[in-house]
């Protein structure tokens, strides 16, 4: 008899973390590896945010907080939504968790029934698949094309919706592709949702990369664009990416009061609340100077423009230029079927990623994101590392037979 529940058997080891750990082991073993696996800004957390945490400690803000976050942080989140997204959100419509991942986990835990379908454009963040699986839901990916910039077409969404649809998940800008919807494109999707005969489903919009957009593209979120969908929409965000605060573990969401209450009920039994010190830091990030947000975005744009053309020029790769986030998602279809110098056939993207690791570059196979035949490369690292990575990838491709 198994000592573990069915949900444990349904969940994979994170393929992103698995490749990151292989990379760490290789480096510990003395290998020279350029690590492009993790989506983590390499900039320091802003000083005023760190000082807010120090003050919180010195002022003994180290006790239990409300399950759903301190009033002060939720007020800062409400101000952020008004200031940046034109959304008026009440404090009891806000959920604060240990990262956006926990917020998403609790939302699906509160609503999914066995067999419920979760519609997600592919490629998608790898964790969505496992969060759906652990709650006995059914992931229903909607295929996108490189030629369309990995954006979901309205007609594809319309075909995907069924009476079993419980959630539609939108992530713009996207991890792993960097795809971002314009207001007009998002309006087309909203129109499909509003016209659909399948109306008994929620919309989750994962806006964690909101502030990492390029080439003048303005950010739009669906609750802002289509107010009639507000009562069905959970707008998820956090401080990890925009403020280089991945380790502080603060995510948040705004949504209908009843949904937030259900999520809070679950959090009460999971971890009670997010660290009081981290909450004080997050409040300072949201309310404080925003210069780092803008300067970081510009640095990421420069890195995109440094790495993307180098990869796109490598025979066997096709690498579109993303509109946001800090990932490239090239197709490696032109490398499949070829042999490495030791005779190994590259029969899929996993084999290609292994070949690159052997050559000193660590990336994540596209299979992890629901789109085989691609790789995800994070360019949240130094310019020198990116130039070296591109050189090694070219050499690895040219070594194939």
């Amino acid at each position: 008899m198994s000592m573990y529940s069915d949900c444990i058997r349904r969940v994979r080891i994170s393929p992103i973390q698995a490749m990151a750990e292989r990379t760490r082991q290789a480096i510990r073993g003395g290998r020279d590896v350029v690590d492009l696996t993790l989506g983590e800004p390499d900039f320091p957390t802003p000083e005023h945010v760190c000082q807010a945490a120090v003050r919180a400690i010195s002022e003994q803000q180290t006790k239990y907080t409300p399950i759903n976050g301190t009033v002060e942080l939720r007020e800062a989140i409400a101000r952020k939504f008004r200031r940046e997204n034109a959304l008026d959100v009440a404090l009891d419509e806000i959920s604060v968790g240990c990262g956006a991942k926990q917020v998403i986990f609790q939302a699906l835990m509160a609503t999914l029934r066995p067999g419920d379908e979760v519609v997600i454009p592919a490629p998608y963040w790898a964790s969505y698949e496992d969060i759906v699986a652990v709650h006995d839901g059914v992931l229903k990916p909607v295929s996108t094309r490189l030629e369309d910039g990995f954006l979901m077409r309205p007609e594809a969404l319309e075909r995907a919706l069924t009476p079993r649809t419980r959630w539609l998940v939108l992530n713009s800008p996207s991890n792993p592709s960097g795809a971002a919807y314009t207001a007009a494109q998002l309006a087309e999707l909203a129109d499909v949702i509003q016209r659909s005969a399948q109306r008994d489903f929620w919309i989750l919009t994962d806006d964690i990369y909101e502030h990492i957009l390029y080439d003048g593209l303005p950010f739009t979120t669906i609750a802002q664009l289509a107010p009639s969908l507000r009562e069905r929409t959970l707008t998820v965000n956090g401080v990890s990416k925009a403020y280089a605060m991945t380790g502080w573990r603060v995510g948040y969401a705004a949504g209908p009061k009843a949904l937030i209450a259900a999520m809070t009920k679950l959090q009460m039994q999971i971890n009670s609340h997010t660290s009081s010190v981290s909450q004080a830091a997050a409040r300072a990030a949201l309310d404080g100077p925003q210069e780092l947000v803008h300067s970081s975005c510009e640095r990421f744009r420069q890195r995109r423009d440094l790495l993307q053309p180098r990869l796109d020029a490598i025979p066997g790769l096709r690498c579109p230029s993303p509109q946001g986030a800090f990932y490239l998602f090239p197709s490696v279809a032109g490398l499949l079927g070829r042999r490495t110098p030791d005779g190994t056939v590259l029969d899929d993207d996993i084999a290609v990623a292994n070949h690159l690791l052997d050559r000193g570059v660590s990336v994540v196979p596209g299979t992890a994101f629901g789109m085989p035949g691609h790789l995800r490369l994070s360019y949240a690292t130094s310019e020198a590392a990116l130039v070296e990575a591109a050189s090694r990838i070219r050499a690895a491709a040219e070594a194939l037979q």
Side-chain angles (χ1 to χ4, degrees):
M1 181 179 69
S2 173
M3 297 179 65
Y4 300 100
S5 66
D6 288 342
C7 74
I8 289 297
R9 289 193 291 273
R10 288 193 293 267
V11 176
R12 308 167 298 171
I13 299 295
S14 164
I16 303 171
Q17 293 295 335
M19 184 57 82
E21 179 56 28
R22 285 187 62 193
T23 304
R24 286 189 285 267
Q25 291 177 2
I27 293 172
R28 284 197 298 268
R31 296 270 311 282
D32 175 19
V33 179
V34 179
D35 185 1
L36 304 182
T37 58
L38 294 181
E40 181 173 50
D42 58 324
F43 311 123
T45 301
E47 180 61 24
H48 72 277
V49 174
C50 296
Q51 288 304 315
V54 172
R55 284 195 302 274
I57 294 170
S58 65
E59 295 170 4
Q60 291 296 308
Q61 296 178 34
T62 55
K63 308 299 183 184
Y64 290 133
T65 79
I67 305 301
N68 223 19
T70 64
V71 170
E72 293 80 8
L73 176 55
R74 281 181 286 152
E75 287 175 340
I77 292 167
R79 286 191 291 271
K80 176 261 184 272
F81 277 122
R82 282 195 299 272
R83 180 178 70 243
E84 298 180 348
N85 309 114
L87 295 174
D88 286 320
V89 180
L91 296 193
D92 58 3
E93 295 176 319
I94 295 172
S95 175
V96 176
C98 291
K101 183 182 289 187
Q102 181 183 0
V103 173
I104 294 169
F105 190 97
Q106 289 169 175
L108 270 60
M109 186 178 186
T111 54
L112 281 184
R113 301 164 299 196
D116 280 349
E117 295 175 348
V118 179
V119 175
I120 303 179
Y124 48 76
W125 179 43
S127 289
Y128 292 143
E129 181 174 341
D130 296 287
I131 295 173
V132 171
V134 78
H135 299 310
D136 213 13
V138 177
L139 182 77
K140 190 167 185 180
V142 179
S143 297
T144 65
R145 305 190 313 153
L146 181 149
E147 292 79 6
D148 294 329
F150 301 111
L151 295 171
M152 179 171 62
R153 304 287 300 169
E155 57 270 22
L157 172 59
E158 193 162 17
R159 289 192 299 268
L161 298 176
T162 76
R164 303 212 69 164
T165 303
R166 177 59 56 182
W167 282 93
L168 164 65
V169 177
L170 298 173
N171 175 212
S172 174
S174 161
N175 175 6
S177 70
Y181 293 93
T182 65
Q185 291 165 333
L186 200 58
E188 290 181 332
L189 299 181
D191 184 57
V192 169
I193 297 167
Q194 292 165 326
R195 289 189 291 102
S196 174
Q198 319 302 334
R199 296 185 179 274
D200 188 23
F201 66 89
W202 299 95
I203 304 145
L204 189 156
T205 176
D206 183 348
D207 297 346
I208 196 71
Y209 296 96
E210 170 183 2
H211 292 293
I212 309 174
L213 271 171
Y214 310 127
D215 307 323
L217 180 65
F219 178 78
T220 307
T221 194
I222 202 164
Q224 173 188 5
L225 186 72
S228 63
L229 298 177
R230 275 282 304 273
E231 288 305 308
R232 298 167 54 189
T233 301
L234 185 70
T235 304
V236 179
N237 213 314
V239 297
S240 292
K241 311 299 183 181
Y243 300 97
M245 293 177 66
T246 51
W248 297 81
R249 307 312 303 141
V250 182
Y252 57 85
K257 181 178 177 180
L259 175 59
I260 296 297
M263 294 163 60
T264 302
K265 187 176 181 181
L266 293 171
Q267 184 163 331
M268 191 179 301
Q269 304 304 332
I270 294 172
N271 68 328
S272 292
H273 61 80
T274 306
S275 159
S276 59
V277 175
S278 290
Q279 289 188 63
R283 177 191 175 193
L286 294 174
D287 277 346
Q290 302 297 304
E291 285 82 0
L292 174 76
V293 174
H294 305 300
S295 63
S296 296
C297 180
E298 176 58 18
R299 285 285 299 280
F300 286 135
R301 183 200 62 77
Q302 292 170 0
R303 292 171 179 184
R304 177 200 66 171
D305 293 347
L306 177 71
L307 184 60
Q308 182 270 335
R310 284 173 164 81
L311 294 187
D312 200 43
I314 296 173
L317 299 188
R318 292 179 63 199
C319 187
S321 183
Q323 297 103 332
F326 37 68
Y327 308 104
L328 296 177
F329 198 66
S331 165
V332 294
L335 302 182
L336 300 183
R338 298 177 65 182
R339 293 180 181 272
T340 66
D342 67 2
T344 301
V345 176
L346 301 182
D347 51 8
D348 57 23
D349 54 291
I350 298 173
V352 174
N354 289 336
H355 174 56
L356 293 182
L357 183 57
D358 289 341
R359 292 296 181 123
V361 182
S362 182
V363 300
V364 185
T367 296
F369 307 98
M371 186 166 277
H374 292 73
L375 302 173
R376 191 194 78 171
L377 297 82
S378 168
Y379 50 88
T381 190
S382 72
E383 288 81 354
L386 297 178
V387 171
E388 180 62 23
S391 175
R392 294 182 185 188
I393 293 171
R394 172 175 285 279
E398 292 175 346
L400 299 175
Q401 301 168 1

